[in-house]
């Protein structure tokens, strides 16, 4: 029986362990934290958005960071397979708005506990509070791992599924990037994706806690439209967050990392109305409240806390009379209502990001098997790979698909090599590693 070591008991690692055991492997699952599935417990605001019910092409499209890399693994273990997997474990699912799939219980713990029961039934050994510090090298690849306590564990194959660098309190502290580099892999520079944005204007921060629905946010750089999203957002003490902001954040984060000087977020508070219809609406309201001050005359149009910032941006005094506003001033106000500007000066730290963008270069990984093209018997799965997606269950689907592929092929590839006459590696460009540990100079 082939000995498979899986490092990292997140969604990708647990799925990899389950798949490897199903394929006949003797599996050891290592987790540095006291409990497996810590990060999975907080996904979907504690409800665990396990996957998306979208068609495969749409899942790939919404996986904005190297989605095409998932084509093989996703089709081998797709969203229907994920749903079938969990329901077979006694976790009934439901499909909500936006094709988001959740457990009917709305408890992420049900999902995590179901996988853990499955691993127990498969006789997978799980060791918590156990961190991997090094990969052990053989002539043709890896032969196991060295733990932080200095002990070595021999293995026929190693699967790295230790996550990215977001939410380090759950165990994702970026350890895998160091291990990958030491094995000779390229790590594409990481940056936060699905992360709140920091804005410059003081008035934005003063609106902390105000939520807006059915608005359109558009990101601009150097006067050019980069991306726009429609839906819900929230003002915070540092800037803005919420579903549509998170969707925009990857683009914003990438542009900021490239040194873009001017990054602007424009908010259309009334996107359902054309400019002309909104002009008429404002004119009616001002006629209705012609003897009142502007801050009172716009109460039917905007949340109370948003009125003064909008008026100030439009260059209008909140204490001016509605009946005294000129046509030119009304048009200027309508323009602001449909294009309220905010200056994006940064993102929250990567530790607060839902997902890490960047990671192990996909060009150095076999997309069907998840095996390294550089080091034989070394596999990657989950967020450690340079693959990331929007919210909506896409990131967990990527973790499950890559984990399943790595788990299955870590066993079947070994058997295939034995059938071919040993462990000779005939892939071009494969590094020949000396015995010992894998390090930058090894």
């Amino acid at each position: 029986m082939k000995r498979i070591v899986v490092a990292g008991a997140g969604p990708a690692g647990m799925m990899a362990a389950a798949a490897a055991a199903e394929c006949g492997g003797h599996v050891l699952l290592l987790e540095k934290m006291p409990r497996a599935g810590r990060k999975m417990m907080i996904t979907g605001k504690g409800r665990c958005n396990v996957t998306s019910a979208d068609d495969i092409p749409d899942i790939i499209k919404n996986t904005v960071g190297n989605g095409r890399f998932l084509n093989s693994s996703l089709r081998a273990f797709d969203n229907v397979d994920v749903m079938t997997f969990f329901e077979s474990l006694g976790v009934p699912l439901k499909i909500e708005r936006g094709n988001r799939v959740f457990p009917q219980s709305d408890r992420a713990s049900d999902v995590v506990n179901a996988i853990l029961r499955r691993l127990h039934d498969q006789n997978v050994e799980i060791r918590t509070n156990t961190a991997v510090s090094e990969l052990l090298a053989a002539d043709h690849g890896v032969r196991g791992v060295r733990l932080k306590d200095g002990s070595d564990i021999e293995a026929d194959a190693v699967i790295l599924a230790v996550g990215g660098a977001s939410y380090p309190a759950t165990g994702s502290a970026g350890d895998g990037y160091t291990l990958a580099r030491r094995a000779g892999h390229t790590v594409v520079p990481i940056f936060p994706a699905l992360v709140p944005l920091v804005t410059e204007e003081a008035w934005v921060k003063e609106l902390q806690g105000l939520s807006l629905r059915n608005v359109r946010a558009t990101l601009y750089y150097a006067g050019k439209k980069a991306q726009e999203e429609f839906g819900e957002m929230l003002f915070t003490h540092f800037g803005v967050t919420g579903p549509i902001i998170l969707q925009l954040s990857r683009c914003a984060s990438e542009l900021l990392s490239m040194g873009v000087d001017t990054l602007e977020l424009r908010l259309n508070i009334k996107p359902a109305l054309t400019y002309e219809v909104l002009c008429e609406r404002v004119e009616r309201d001002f006629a209705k409240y012609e003897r009142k001050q502007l801050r009172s005359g716009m109460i039917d149009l905007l949340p109370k806390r948003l009125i003064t910032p909008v008026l100030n941006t439009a260059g209008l005094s909140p204490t001016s009379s509605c009946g005294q506003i000129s046509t030119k001033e009304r048009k200027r106000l309508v323009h602001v209502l449909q294009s309220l500007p905010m200056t994006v000066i940064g993102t929250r730290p990567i530790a607060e990001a839902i997902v890490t963008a960047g990671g192990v270069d996909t060009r150095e990984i076999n997309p069907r098997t998840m095996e390294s093209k550089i080091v034989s018997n070394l596999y990657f799965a989950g967020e450690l790979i340079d693959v990331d997606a929007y919210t909506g269950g896409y990131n967990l689907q990527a973790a499950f698909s890559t984990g399943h592929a790595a788990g299955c092929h870590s066993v079947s590839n070994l058997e295939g090599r034995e059938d071919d006459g040993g462990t000779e590696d005939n892939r071009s460009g494969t590094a020949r590693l000396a015995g010992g540990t894998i390090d930058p100079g090894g």
Side-chain angles (χ1 to χ4, degrees), residues 228-276:
E228 67 177 16
E229 297 290 338
F230 173 83
E232 185 176 351
M233 63 163 288
L234 174 72
F235 292 98
T236 73
H237 66 283
F238 53 76
V240 287
T241 188
I244 62 175
I245 301 301
L246 295 179
Q247 299 290 69
L248 292 169
S249 65
R250 187 192 194 278
C251 180
S253 185
E254 193 168 22
L255 288 169
L256 288 167
S257 69
M258 293 166 54
V260 172
D261 292 332
T262 305
L263 196 57
E264 189 175 53
L265 185 67
R266 300 181 193 172
L267 187 63
N268 187 340
I269 305 170
K270 298 292 179 181
L273 304 179
T274 65
Y275 176 81
E276 291 74 20

Side-chain angles (χ1 to χ4, degrees), residues 139-376:
D139 289 342
H140 303 285
V142 296
R143 60 177 178 85
V145 297
R146 177 162 293 163
L147 305 181
K148 284 284 177 68
D149 65 9
S151 61
D152 293 349
I153 298 175
E154 298 286 333
D156 295 293
V158 174
I159 301 173
L160 287 182
V162 293
S166 57
Y167 288 108
T170 64
S172 299
D175 304 347
Y177 305 129
T178 300
L179 294 172
R181 288 191 188 97
R182 288 178 176 175
H185 274 275
T186 303
V187 175
V188 176
I190 63 171
F191 59 91
L194 302 183
V195 65
L197 299 179
V198 179
T199 54
E200 184 177 55
E201 290 78 10
W203 65 262
V204 176
K205 302 170 181 61
E206 292 168 359
L207 295 179
Q208 177 182 352
L210 177 64
S211 176
L212 299 179
R213 294 185 176 181
N214 301 320
V215 296
R216 177 172 287 111
T218 307
L219 194 66
Y220 288 86
Y221 73 98
K224 301 175 183 177
K225 181 190 292 187
Q227 185 180 342
E228 67 177 16
E229 297 290 338
F230 173 83
E232 185 176 351
M233 63 163 288
L234 174 72
F235 292 98
T236 73
H237 66 283
F238 53 76
V240 287
T241 188
I244 62 175
I245 301 301
L246 295 179
Q247 299 290 69
L248 292 169
S249 65
R250 187 192 194 278
C251 180
S253 185
E254 193 168 22
L255 288 169
L256 288 167
S257 69
M258 293 166 54
V260 172
D261 292 332
T262 305
L263 196 57
E264 189 175 53
L265 185 67
R266 300 181 193 172
L267 187 63
N268 187 340
I269 305 170
K270 298 292 179 181
L273 304 179
T274 65
Y275 176 81
E276 291 74 20
V277 170
L278 186 54
C279 280
E280 294 172 1
R281 166 68 191 276
V282 170
E283 188 172 358
R284 287 198 306 271
D285 281 8
F286 282 5
K288 178 181 177 181
Y289 297 112
E290 62 176 336
R291 294 185 179 181
K292 291 183 176 291
Q293 294 179 343
L294 280 178
R295 60 188 173 195
S296 300
M298 296 183 67
I299 200 69
D300 296 342
L301 195 64
L302 293 174
K304 186 176 180 180
R305 294 172 63 194
L306 190 57
I307 292 174
T308 297
V310 166
L311 290 173
N312 288 339
T313 303
L316 300 173
S317 171
T319 58
S320 296
S321 170
C322 290
Q324 296 177 341
I325 301 303
S326 67
T327 300
K328 182 178 179 180
E329 289 173 324
R330 279 201 305 271
K331 288 182 177 180
R332 193 164 72 234
L333 175 60
V334 169
H335 174 74
V336 171
L337 287 170
Q338 295 195 316
S339 189
L340 179 64
M342 291 167 272
T343 307
V344 178
I345 58 175
T347 71
R348 294 297 287 176
I350 196 167
E352 297 180 23
I354 295 175
V355 172
T356 305
V360 179
D361 196 328
T362 56
R363 293 172 296 182
E364 299 172 356
I365 303 172
N366 184 319
R368 183 178 67 86
T369 66
M370 296 299 129
E371 186 176 14
S372 166
K373 294 180 180 179
I374 296 173
V375 183
S376 63

Side-chain angles (χ1 to χ4, degrees), residues 49 62 98 100 194 243-244 246-247 354-355 389-395:
N49 185 184
N62 281 284
R100 297 168 186 246
L194 302 183
I244 62 175
L246 295 179
Q247 299 290 69
I354 295 175
V355 172
Y390 290 138
T391 58
Y394 307 113
N395 287 293

